[in-house]
Amino acid sequence: MINKITRIFPEAIIEKYPVTNSGFLCYYDDTSKQYIAIPKQSISEREQLLLATVFKQVQSSLSRLNRSPLQEKWYFFLSGDGELPLETEKRVRFIHFIIDYEIDRSDFLEAIHSLVQEGVTTVWLNETSGLFIELETADHFTSADFLSFTEALQSDFYLSTDFYIGRFFPADRKLKERFQREHLYFQLAKKYIPDEHIFTFEKAFPISLVSLDRLKVMEILHEEWTDIFHNNFQLLKTIQLFLENNSNISMTAKKLYLHRNSLQYRIDKFIEQTSIDIKSFHGAISVYFICIFGQSLLRGEISQTDEKLE
Amino acid sequence: MAELILDHVYKIYDNKVTAVSDFNLHIKDKEFIVFVGPSGCGKSTTLRMVAGLEEITKGDLYIDGKRMNDVPPKDRDIAMVFQNYALYPHMTVFDNMAFGLKLRKVPKDEIKKKVEEAARILGLTEYLDRKPKALSGGQRQRVALGRAIVRNAKVFLMDEPLSNLDAKLRVQMRAEITKLHRRLGTTTIYVTHDQTEAMTMADRIVVMKDGVIQQVGAPKEIYDNPENVFVGGFIGSPPMNFFEVTLSEEGEVILSDTHRVKIPEGKLKVLREKGYLGKEVIFGIRPEDIHDEQLFIDSFPSAVINAKIEVAELTGAELMLYSAVNGHEFVARIDARSDVQPGDTVQLAMDMNKAHFFDKDTEVRIR
């Protein structure tokens, strides 16, 4: 269906998220689970009527969801071509959420503000999903806090909420890419482990590796490799050796001819900078896959500029 | 207060996995009913179907005679308590307890009255201004209970609410929840995998396995008359001892070439009538029904076995003796005053009036 639409309206944009640009009319295709945005000047009244009978029009409701200018800017940044609406030295993280039905948003947000820190921006992606954008502080909530909170929401609103607690990232242009990657991990993890409600990179990343096609797997491995190791092969060697030695600091330090305290410092720094707990099983296995990818790059088996990864 | 009926209820997921199968139960008004079973047996799924958080695939749910299958959770007049305290971290105890009422647009002065009353019942009055982080685990769980109490709901649904507490606090909270139920009289469904919680708290227990009810009954009834091997083994700590044995035509349990114990006339009559003599059955006996007192041994000489003790565990008031007959390990719970040591060979008498016999193929109790 979507292909036929794009043939009729070549200017149409197909997106995973609704387009709220006021110059476009946005429709949701339930079959492909995608949004179709068509420039207003390219569509007649009759065509609008016809499209509205086939698809659900979503633009007006999204404007209602993201009322403040800041929310709207974030929305445009994450789903369109908007500028990053934040200038800060601090890192940010996205806490993605999905609720199972539409509720009174003001009550929901009141509950949310009892969890997240002051100054958190909430951006709705549609009526039942969205994200909180949180600046890094010394005291942030953990998976256990979110689990408790999920149950509190369930007992008050009788709704099931799923969270993906993102990693902390620098506030730069690459944030959008990282957001999209996390969104993908969240969708896949939720599909494959529906009984879980709180997801993290550590839990979701291995699932992505087994559920995506090879090209997409290589693409995300490459992106994570760049984000986590910044092409630093020395760091790769340290982390990989640590994981291969059953996360034993003393044994790894001996093999690297390092003092164990120096290694401990490097490991702690890695965990702090990546927000990935490699001392946990899930964190270790996720990063280990990325290490293997890094090793392949080092051995020249995969090129940094491999066309397939472009 | 409410009466619930679950009539032929099924939960079948899209991937065709059946989580709950043909669940039939009538829960009486003011009853405290406990769903117990191992992980994955369908007890929480059933609770969530009652709450409306899971759709009922087939069958009907009635609360006070009204069919609830299509009634949204918020309109079912239920309150839930979960394992992970379920509190809002940045709200005070007062606000946590008041939040549900605020959502229901209850007037402020009424909210205050209800929260203060619940806090008084739960001993939380002095903590109303604190935030959850400043409370102990037990206090946090009491706040979670308070959040349910203030709603004055028809039904309380509790999903393993004590699992996060340490052993001592769990015992204390167990008694507090029982007292609270006596005081409020709210119909309660309580889910746990802990058979001790089930035994000590329930008016009736529902034992589940693989999504199927195994037995429903009062704790004592379930303990004394388990419907099958699973119930006998699941309820009781240590669990019931089971032996695969042959029954002689003369009415004895042949435990080994050297160990035969006589079956009392009442039980023997049933086994004979059902045609089990000369056949293999599963023989079950609870640890406390195996005795080492001389008086018992003298009184029941036909039920005595000689056992070499492999391990003796002193729990304080009792001594657990671990031994084996013909390769079947068993445990006897005897008085702690007994001076039995590992390696000793002792005489133990089985109270055969308390023995249980199960069909070897179906594992169902022979009665």
Side-chain angles (χ1 to χ4, degrees):
Chain A
M1 177 77 92
I2 282 212
N3 288 342
K4 285 179 186 167
I5 297 289
T6 48
R7 276 205 296 275
I8 299 166
F9 302 101
E11 311 88 339
I13 300 166
I14 311 300
E15 283 280 354
K16 281 181 188 161
Y17 309 103
V19 174
T20 55
N21 186 318
S22 55
F24 285 77
L25 288 174
C26 187
Y27 301 91
Y28 180 64
D29 175 29
D30 206 26
T31 319
S32 66
K33 312 283 181 212
Q34 286 178 306
Y35 292 87
I36 310 154
I38 303 167
K40 277 182 181 170
Q41 72 271 15
S42 315
I43 185 167
S44 70
E45 264 185 44
R46 189 183 149 85
E47 285 166 339
Q48 278 183 41
L49 203 64
L50 193 66
L51 281 173
T53 57
V54 183
F55 305 112
K56 189 180 167 194
Q57 193 166 348
V58 290
Q59 190 184 13
S60 55
S61 64
L62 264 162
S63 304
R64 185 166 49 83
L65 293 173
N66 295 310
R67 281 178 178 167
S68 78
L70 184 61
Q71 281 178 308
E72 204 165 61
K73 278 180 189 167
W74 267 111
Y75 183 82
F76 283 132
F77 170 70
L78 295 171
S79 64
D81 290 326
E83 289 296 313
L84 173 64
L86 186 70
E87 272 185 44
T88 176
E89 293 292 305
K90 283 186 179 176
R91 298 192 302 171
V92 294
R93 73 171 174 181
F94 301 116
I95 298 159
H96 308 242
F97 65 85
I98 297 174
I99 53 179
D100 60 357
Y101 62 89
E102 199 179 348
I103 54 161
D104 183 321
R105 266 175 296 281
S106 60
D107 288 339
F108 181 69
L109 288 179
E110 188 178 345
I112 291 297
H113 286 129
S114 77
L115 176 75
V116 293
Q117 310 288 326
E118 288 291 314
V120 165
T121 309
T122 308
V123 177
W124 291 89
L125 298 174
N126 56 43
E127 283 84 352
T128 54
S129 73
L131 61 144
F132 312 122
I133 301 155
E134 186 186 28
L135 289 177
E136 188 170 21
T137 56
D139 181 29
H140 49 261
F141 287 104
T142 62
S143 294
D145 295 318
F146 275 96
L147 189 58
S148 167
F149 180 69
T150 303
E151 292 187 346
L153 289 177
Q154 195 160 63
S155 63
D156 282 326
F157 295 92
Y158 303 99
L159 94 168
S160 177
T161 317
D162 298 308
F163 286 105
Y164 178 98
I165 307 159
R167 282 150 50 199
F168 283 101
F169 294 117
D172 58 25
R173 281 295 305 176
K174 283 181 86 181
L175 253 187
K176 180 179 163 182
E177 216 176 81
R178 289 160 180 151
F179 156 76
Q180 285 170 342
R181 221 157 58 218
E182 287 189 338
H183 196 81
L184 175 69
Y185 297 156
F186 187 21
Q187 301 291 336
L188 291 170
K190 195 173 142 49
K191 183 179 166 192
Y192 282 86
I193 32 176
D195 290 344
E196 293 270 341
H197 296 288
I198 311 297
F199 300 96
T200 54
F201 170 80
E202 289 93 322
K203 252 187 209 173
F205 185 68
I207 292 165
S208 309
L209 294 184
V210 295
S211 50
L212 291 169
D213 65 54
R214 189 180 171 275
L215 278 182
K216 188 70 188 164
V217 167
M218 296 302 274
E219 186 187 313
I220 61 167
L221 278 168
H222 192 266
E223 286 167 359
E224 292 297 356
W225 154 256
T226 314
D227 255 3
I228 294 169
F229 288 97
H230 309 285
N231 295 320
N232 181 340
F233 290 100
Q234 190 54 43
L235 180 63
L236 164 72
K237 189 184 164 191
T238 306
I239 298 300
Q240 187 167 355
L241 203 61
F242 171 68
L243 298 175
E244 285 173 349
N245 281 283
N246 303 315
S247 308
N248 184 320
I249 294 273
S250 301
M251 207 186 290
T252 314
K254 210 170 168 182
K255 289 185 180 172
L256 287 169
Y257 304 104
L258 271 176
H259 191 276
R260 72 181 305 286
N261 288 353
S262 305
L263 180 63
Q264 183 71 61
Y265 175 79
R266 286 185 197 180
I267 300 289
D268 290 345
K269 201 79 192 155
F270 179 84
I271 293 171
E272 187 194 314
Q273 283 179 347
T274 60
S275 316
I276 304 170
D277 180 8
I278 52 168
K279 289 177 184 170
S280 75
F281 168 76
H282 288 105
I285 196 169
S286 297
V287 170
Y288 191 66
F289 283 123
I290 296 160
C291 289
I292 294 170
F293 180 84
Q295 281 293 345
S296 304
L297 280 179
L298 189 62
R299 287 196 300 266
E301 289 165 13
I302 306 166
S303 159
Q304 288 269 24
T305 54
D306 198 325
E307 274 180 26
K308 286 174 192 168
L309 303 178
E310 288 295 292
Chain B
M1 311 310 136
E3 185 183 67
L4 282 86
I5 295 171
L6 289 108
D7 187 22
H8 297 286
V9 167
Y10 286 78
K11 179 68 196 180
I12 304 164
Y13 288 105
D14 294 343
N15 55 6
K16 309 289 176 221
V17 171
T18 303
V20 178
S21 186
D22 201 20
F23 193 100
N24 288 295
L25 186 66
H26 181 176
I27 302 170
K28 288 172 248 163
D29 184 27
K30 297 182 182 176
E31 198 171 15
F32 193 109
I33 200 129
V34 175
F35 294 172
V36 68
S39 295
C41 73
K43 52 191 190 299
S44 287
T45 306
T46 310
L47 188 87
R48 292 172 65 80
M49 284 195 283
V50 174
L53 300 171
E54 293 272 1
E55 209 177 306
I56 296 171
T57 312
K58 206 162 77 176
D60 300 298
L61 165 73
Y62 298 92
I63 299 180
D64 278 343
K66 187 183 170 197
R67 191 173 179 275
M68 286 286 161
N69 292 45
D70 304 318
V71 175
K74 66 181 174 57
D75 299 329
R76 293 189 184 195
D77 202 3
I78 48 156
M80 298 184 73
V81 182
F82 296 96
Q83 179 179 341
N84 295 295
Y85 310 133
L87 302 177
Y88 299 108
H90 281 338
M91 285 188 194
T92 62
V93 169
F94 183 96
D95 290 337
N96 260 291
M97 285 161 77
F99 191 68
L101 298 177
K102 210 172 138 192
L103 290 180
R104 285 164 186 77
K105 318 287 178 213
V106 175
K108 271 187 181 172
D109 51 345
E110 200 178 322
I111 292 178
K112 189 168 182 284
K113 206 172 129 194
K114 284 189 172 187
V115 170
E116 283 174 354
E117 172 63 8
R120 196 181 55 76
I121 293 171
L122 294 162
L124 289 169
T125 307
E126 58 188 296
Y127 305 109
L128 284 174
D129 292 330
R130 289 200 194 172
K131 287 192 178 166
K133 264 194 177 168
L135 301 176
S136 68
Q139 287 164 340
R140 283 187 212 186
Q141 198 50 284
R142 265 188 267 160
V143 180
L145 283 171
R147 280 167 44 77
I149 291 172
V150 291
R151 285 196 212 162
N152 205 13
K154 271 186 181 178
V155 186
F156 283 168
L157 304 177
M158 302 192 185
D159 194 355
E160 308 226 14
L162 306 184
S163 301
N164 264 0
L165 306 181
D166 63 48
K168 197 176 168 189
L169 202 52
R170 202 181 302 177
V171 174
Q172 193 187 324
M173 283 300 291
R174 219 157 66 190
E176 285 194 28
I177 292 176
T178 307
K179 271 194 271 176
L180 195 65
H181 175 255
R182 282 205 197 115
R183 182 173 184 157
L184 302 173
T186 311
T187 309
T188 303
I189 305 177
Y190 185 104
V191 162
T192 181
H193 63 270
D194 181 339
Q195 57 88 28
T196 314
E197 270 176 32
M199 287 294 289
T200 52
M201 299 172 85
D203 291 328
R204 278 193 304 156
I205 296 174
V206 178
V207 186
M208 293 181 72
K209 183 194 169 203
D210 299 336
V212 178
I213 293 182
Q214 302 293 308
Q215 190 170 0
V216 182
K220 186 159 170 53
E221 185 189 334
I222 286 196
Y223 191 77
D224 290 343
N225 301 302
E227 199 63 46
N228 55 38
V229 170
F230 174 79
V231 176
F234 193 81
I235 301 291
S237 178
M240 182 183 280
N241 299 299
F242 294 108
F243 305 86
E244 284 187 12
V245 296
T246 303
L247 302 181
S248 74
E249 296 288 353
E250 295 76 33
E252 293 163 317
V253 172
I254 306 171
L255 286 165
S256 71
D257 294 342
T258 51
H259 287 108
R260 287 171 174 239
V261 289
K262 204 163 169 32
I263 305 167
E265 196 45 49
K267 290 191 185 289
L268 185 61
K269 190 174 170 239
V270 176
L271 292 167
R272 188 182 293 122
E273 278 172 10
K274 302 272 178 184
Y276 281 98
L277 295 189
K279 291 189 178 161
E280 283 185 31
V281 296
I282 297 171
F283 161 59
I285 190 153
R286 293 221 177 261
E288 62 272 28
D289 296 327
I290 304 175
H291 301 264
D292 74 329
E293 300 99 317
Q294 196 55 48
L295 187 66
F296 211 98
I297 292 165
D298 293 342
S299 310
F300 299 96
S302 59
V304 174
I305 57 167
N306 292 313
K308 188 174 179 191
I309 305 305
E310 287 161 9
V311 177
E313 278 179 356
L314 180 67
T315 62
E318 290 152 341
L319 187 64
M320 304 293 174
L321 301 181
Y322 291 83
S323 185
V325 172
N326 204 20
H328 293 291
E329 290 181 356
F330 71 94
V331 56
R333 187 205 301 254
I334 62 166
D335 196 296
R337 279 171 290 190
S338 230
D339 187 28
V340 180
Q341 298 297 324
D344 290 353
T345 298
V346 294
Q347 279 196 316
L348 296 170
M350 293 181 170
D351 183 352
M352 292 301 286
N353 288 312
K354 305 266 182 72
H356 306 267
F357 294 94
F358 303 92
D359 184 280
K360 198 183 168 214
D361 296 326
T362 63
E363 299 195 346
V364 173
R365 181 187 174 87
I366 302 165
R367 60 170 87 214

